């Protein structure tokens, strides 16, 4: 379950800086904002798929802490995209800043999860 989740999370998180850089050229340009909104929508669909995958299987007892860390990472990504969506509705920079910081934290958490997954001992 973890490998497909990690792959999709990587697609979402790693493509964000490029999307933000494109939007930063002129956030009030309708075509740039439409492109950013399309990215948000596509990412929201991916997030739903990740959450469904996460909930499709119960976490083994030996991996409870790992499963909880993965859940926290997913929650950060979900919350970040809610903030980014709010930004597109009113151009309030706080939402953009908060969303970006949440994704930065999710990226760090994802890297820790990748490291932990290599050392996870399953029966």
């Amino acid at each position: 379950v973890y490998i497909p989740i990690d792959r999709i999370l990587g697609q979402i998180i790693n493509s964000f800086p490029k999307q933000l850089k494109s939007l930063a050229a002129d956030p009030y340009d309708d075509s740039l904002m439409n492109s950013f909104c399309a990215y948000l929508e596509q990412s929201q669909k991916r997030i739903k798929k990740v959450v469904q995958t996460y909930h499709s299987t119960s976490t083994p007892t030996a991996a409870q802490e790992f499963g909880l860390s993965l859940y926290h990472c997913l929650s950060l990504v979900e919350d970040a995209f809610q903030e980014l969506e709010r930004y597109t509705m009113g151009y309030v920079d706080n939402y953009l800043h908060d969303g970006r910081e949440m994704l930065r934290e999710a990226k760090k958490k994802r890297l820790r999860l990748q490291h932990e997954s290599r050392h996870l001992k399953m029966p």
Side-chain angles (χ1 to χ4, degrees):
V1 170
Y2 169 70
I3 293 172
I5 288 174
D6 180 61
R7 188 175 356 94
I8 295 171
L9 279 176
Q11 292 170 350
I12 295 167
I13 294 170
N14 294 334
S15 61
F16 176 72
K18 181 181 175 187
Q19 295 295 326
L20 183 60
K21 187 176 181 177
S22 294
L23 180 64
D26 183 4
Y28 299 104
D29 179 292
D30 287 339
S31 65
L32 293 176
M33 182 54 79
N34 287 338
S35 177
F36 188 71
C37 287
Y39 159 73
L40 293 179
E41 187 176 317
Q42 181 184 34
S43 294
Q44 296 271 12
K45 289 178 185 176
R46 288 178 173 166
I47 291 167
K48 283 182 183 180
K49 183 176 180 177
V50 166
V51 170
Q52 286 175 341
T53 303
Y54 177 81
H55 289 297
S56 69
T57 306
S58 62
T59 306
T61 306
Q64 291 286 326
E65 191 172 323
F66 181 82
L68 185 58
S69 293
L70 180 57
Y71 178 79
H72 286 247
C73 184
L74 295 176
S75 292
L76 274 171
V77 173
E78 284 180 305
D79 292 347
F81 277 86
Q82 287 176 357
E83 292 296 300
L84 295 171
E85 180 122 358
R86 286 184 188 115
Y87 169 75
T88 65
M89 294 177 199
Y91 297 94
V92 177
D93 288 336
N94 289 347
Y95 294 130
L96 182 62
H97 173 74
D98 291 348
R100 183 175 58 221
E101 289 303 312
M102 287 177 195
L103 283 176
R104 185 176 292 144
E105 188 61 34
K107 184 174 184 174
K108 289 178 192 177
K109 195 171 274 290
R110 179 176 172 250
L111 291 173
R112 282 192 299 264
L113 284 165
Q114 288 174 336
H115 178 74
E116 288 176 28
S117 73
R118 291 185 210 115
H119 297 49
L120 192 63
K121 294 182 180 167
M122 297 299 294

